[in-house]
Amino acid sequence: RHVIMYIKNNNKNENYIGIAVSTKIGKAVRRNRIKRLIRESYRIEKNNILKGKDIVFMWNKNADIINVDFNIIHNELLELFDKANMV
């Protein structure tokens, strides 16, 4: 697992997301790349996800950052949303 997801109801008609990547992961360039990949993956799937949630994505600090690409993150987010019954 690379991404950890926390979900809370917000009683509104839209989702709010937050993305947290620890400074222990690396320099700002790598952290921002991970944030961009997570944000883009969420953007692609946001129409298929239930509304009214606060969602926080956290990068697992023990996960390898070098060999991560968009497909890996996208598939993990799909699995997490499916496991949380949000699709």
Side-chain angles (χ1 to χ4, degrees):
R1 285 266 181 240
H2 295 91
V3 180
I4 302 166
M5 183 173 72
Y6 294 100
I7 303 167
K8 181 182 172 192
N9 291 330
N10 67 8
N11 299 323
K12 297 183 180 169
N13 198 19
E14 60 184 314
N15 291 336
Y16 294 105
I17 66 165
I19 302 170
V21 181
S22 173
T23 57
K24 294 179 182 180
I25 298 300
K27 303 278 185 189
V29 173
R30 288 190 178 177
R31 293 193 314 265
N32 288 334
R33 179 176 179 269
I34 294 299
K35 291 178 192 177
R36 284 194 309 269
L37 292 175
I38 292 172
R39 196 175 296 119
E40 179 64 16
S41 179
Y42 175 80
R43 186 192 65 81
I44 290 172
E45 296 297 327
K46 73 178 178 182
N47 292 331
N48 301 328
I49 298 171
L50 295 177
K51 304 292 185 218
K53 308 285 184 188
D54 290 333
I55 305 168
V56 176
F57 299 104
M58 293 182 63
W59 186 261
N60 185 357
K61 64 181 177 182
N62 297 326
D64 183 27
I65 194 172
I66 297 171
N67 297 326
V68 174
D69 63 351
F70 176 76
N71 292 327
I72 293 172
I73 292 177
H74 188 73
N75 289 335
E76 276 197 31
L77 260 59
L78 288 176
E79 289 175 17
L80 289 171
F81 286 132
D82 188 43
K83 188 175 178 181
N85 295 324
M86 291 183 60
V87 180

